[in-house]
């Protein structure tokens, strides 16, 4: 081995499980691989997961990441969180699935290999097509074992997000956990959209989506903030004693949000900044043609806060411009 490579102790091989069988695990930390499918060569397709099983009983707190395969930030968030979960201080069990959509992850893609968005087809179908079967197994082998869900995402390609949370704020336990995370913005969203969060929420369980920055990157500051906030949510549930780090509690809460789209193609410039408060009529974007002539100026259609925005200047007709939140309580 060359002198610039330092070897560390080999970690224990992950334990392969066909389903998230927490009863079979002793108190402590575990590295597991939950088998979800077989590829055409017969190799297992699995979801890597960390489990911290506490010394005392309590809820199963589930965290999922990379349901969209190129949304990486959730994975190091789980890694860092688990370094701060001593099983002897834990009541209940924490499960962190670092990659739900392994086939998408391997291709640097948001979607499943058949082009389907797994976060729109939950709970899938036991006898469906490729992505429906996979979604069904994610639900039955992983999600159904959770009492609480935190689903970690990022923006999509060509867009940036604030650190924001989507949750059904009319569900009191969900609302309390969403606030515990201490994001910049909380958007009320009831679910019912075929999402992982919606599937768990439809069972009456608290379920929160956390949007952590941008795709296919590791963003240290947003990961740290998310890690502190998710740990605070566990503390609020009585699963862990308070530590010395507390998320800020100054989130702007929104009743709804919507994207604005271009209606023409061109070169898009979106000069607003993330979390900027906008008055109705304020300028939010410009569209130019390929010769530099200004084609359109876009204005805020209502008083809003900028939840996310496009960073890709190459705009087709129907390109996303900004994601605007409507400030208020549902
Ligand atoms: Zn996502």
């Amino acid at each position: 081995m060359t002198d610039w490579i330092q070897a560390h102790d080999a970690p224990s091989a992950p334990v392969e499980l066909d389903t998230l069988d927490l009863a079979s695990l002793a108190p402590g930390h575990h590295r597991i691989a939950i088998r979800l499918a077989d590829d055409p060569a017969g190799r297992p397709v699995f979801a890597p997961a960390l489990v911290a099983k506490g010394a005392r009983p309590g809820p199963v707190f589930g965290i999922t990441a990379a349901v969209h395969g190129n949304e990486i930030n959730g994975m190091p968030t789980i890694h860092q969180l688990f370094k701060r979960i001593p099983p002897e201080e834990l009541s209940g069990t924490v499960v962190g699935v670092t990659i739900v959509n392994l086939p998408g992850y391997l291709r640097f893609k948001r979607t499943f290999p058949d082009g389907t968005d797994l976060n729109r087809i939950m709970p899938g179908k036991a006898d469906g097509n490729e992505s429906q079967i996979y979604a069904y197994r994610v639900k039955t082998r992983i999600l159904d074992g959770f009492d609480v869900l935190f689903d970690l995402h990022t923006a999509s390609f060509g867009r940036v997000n604030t650190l924001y949370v989507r949750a059904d704020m009319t569900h009191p336990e969900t609302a309390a956990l969403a606030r515990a995370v201490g994001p910049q913005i909380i958007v009320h969203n009831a679910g019912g959209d075929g999402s992982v969060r919606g599937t768990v929420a439809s069972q009456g369980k608290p379920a929160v989506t956390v949007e952590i920055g941008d795709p296919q990157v590791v963003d240290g500051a947003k990961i740290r903030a998310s890690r502190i906030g998710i740990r605070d949510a566990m503390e609020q549930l009585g699963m862990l004693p308070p530590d010395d780090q507390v998320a800020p509690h100054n989130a702007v809460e929104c009743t709804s949000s919507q994207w604005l789209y271009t209606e023409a193609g061109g070169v898009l410039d979106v000069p607003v900044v993330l979390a900027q408060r906008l008055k109705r009529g304020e300028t939010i974007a410009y569209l130019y043609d390929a010769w530099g002539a200004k084609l359109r100026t876009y204005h805020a259609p209502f008083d809003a806060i900028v939840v996310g925005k496009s960073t890709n200047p190459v705009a087709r007709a129907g390109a996303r411009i900004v994601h605007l939140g409507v400030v208020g309580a549902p």
Side-chain angles (χ1 to χ4, degrees):
M1 193 175 281
T2 52
D3 58 5
W4 52 273
I5 300 174
Q6 182 196 354
H8 296 275
D9 289 343
S12 61
V15 175
E16 281 190 39
L17 297 175
D18 284 339
T19 189
L20 185 60
D21 178 14
L22 297 172
S24 68
L25 300 175
H29 278 268
H30 301 272
R31 295 151 50 85
I32 64 173
I34 306 163
R35 194 164 181 149
L36 293 171
D38 299 294
D39 78 4
R43 295 174 298 187
V45 178
F46 58 86
L50 293 171
V51 175
K53 188 165 176 179
R56 289 177 297 278
V60 178
F61 190 107
I63 310 164
T64 47
V67 171
H68 293 134
N70 65 349
E71 301 185 357
I72 310 302
N73 277 331
M75 179 166 49
T77 302
I78 292 171
H79 294 164
Q80 293 189 17
L81 193 55
F82 270 74
K83 287 185 184 151
R84 293 166 175 82
I85 303 177
E88 62 279 9
E89 291 182 14
L90 176 66
S91 299
T93 302
V94 184
V95 179
V97 182
T98 58
I99 309 166
V100 171
N101 178 3
L102 186 72
Y105 174 85
L106 295 175
R107 291 165 173 79
F108 313 155
K109 293 274 196 226
R110 167 186 178 84
T111 51
F112 205 66
D114 66 0
T116 302
D117 184 338
L118 289 179
N119 210 34
R120 295 287 177 275
I121 61 160
M122 297 301 297
K125 268 167 99 170
D127 57 353
N129 64 27
E130 183 184 352
S131 49
Q132 289 168 326
I133 287 180
Y134 196 87
Y136 178 80
R137 292 178 181 172
V138 168
K139 178 189 179 286
T140 54
R141 298 183 184 189
I142 299 175
L143 302 177
D144 285 351
F146 295 168
D147 298 314
V148 176
L149 171 75
F150 272 69
D151 189 27
L152 311 184
H153 286 257
T154 75
S156 299
F157 167 76
R159 302 172 209 156
V160 287
N161 273 346
T162 50
L163 178 62
Y164 85 97
V165 156
R166 271 197 311 279
D168 180 353
M169 297 302 282
T170 65
H171 184 281
E173 289 172 272
T174 299
L177 292 174
R179 291 183 180 121
V181 174
Q184 290 171 277
I185 297 172
I186 298 173
V187 176
H188 166 67
N189 182 294
D193 47 3
S195 67
V196 167
R197 174 177 64 90
T199 293
V200 173
S202 71
Q203 298 171 336
K205 300 172 183 174
V208 172
T209 299
V210 187
E211 296 278 348
I212 310 171
D214 312 325
Q216 208 67 48
V217 294
V218 168
D219 178 336
K222 285 202 170 75
I223 289 165
R224 182 175 186 277
S226 308
R227 185 260 296 165
I228 292 171
I230 296 169
R231 156 101 197 195
D232 285 355
M234 293 176 194
E235 293 169 11
Q236 183 168 289
L237 290 168
M239 297 179 71
L240 285 167
D243 65 0
D244 56 356
Q245 294 176 317
V246 181
H249 291 282
N250 50 10
V252 176
E253 297 193 17
C254 297
T255 55
S256 64
S257 68
Q258 68 179 72
W259 277 93
L260 301 185
Y261 299 86
T262 65
E263 79 307 344
V267 183
L268 184 65
D269 176 27
V270 189
V272 296
V273 297
L274 293 175
Q276 183 176 336
R277 299 291 285 260
L278 297 167
K279 285 283 176 206
R280 182 172 186 266
E282 253 182 83
T283 298
I284 51 174
Y286 305 99
L287 190 69
Y288 300 88
D289 69 16
W291 292 262
K294 194 181 284 179
L295 299 174
R296 301 279 194 283
T297 302
Y298 295 97
H299 304 278
F302 46 80
D303 292 357
I305 184 166
V306 178
V307 179
K309 60 174 255 187
S310 172
T311 54
N312 181 5
V314 184
R316 300 185 179 106
R320 290 172 192 250
I321 304 172
V322 281
H323 185 195
L324 297 179
V326 182
V327 179

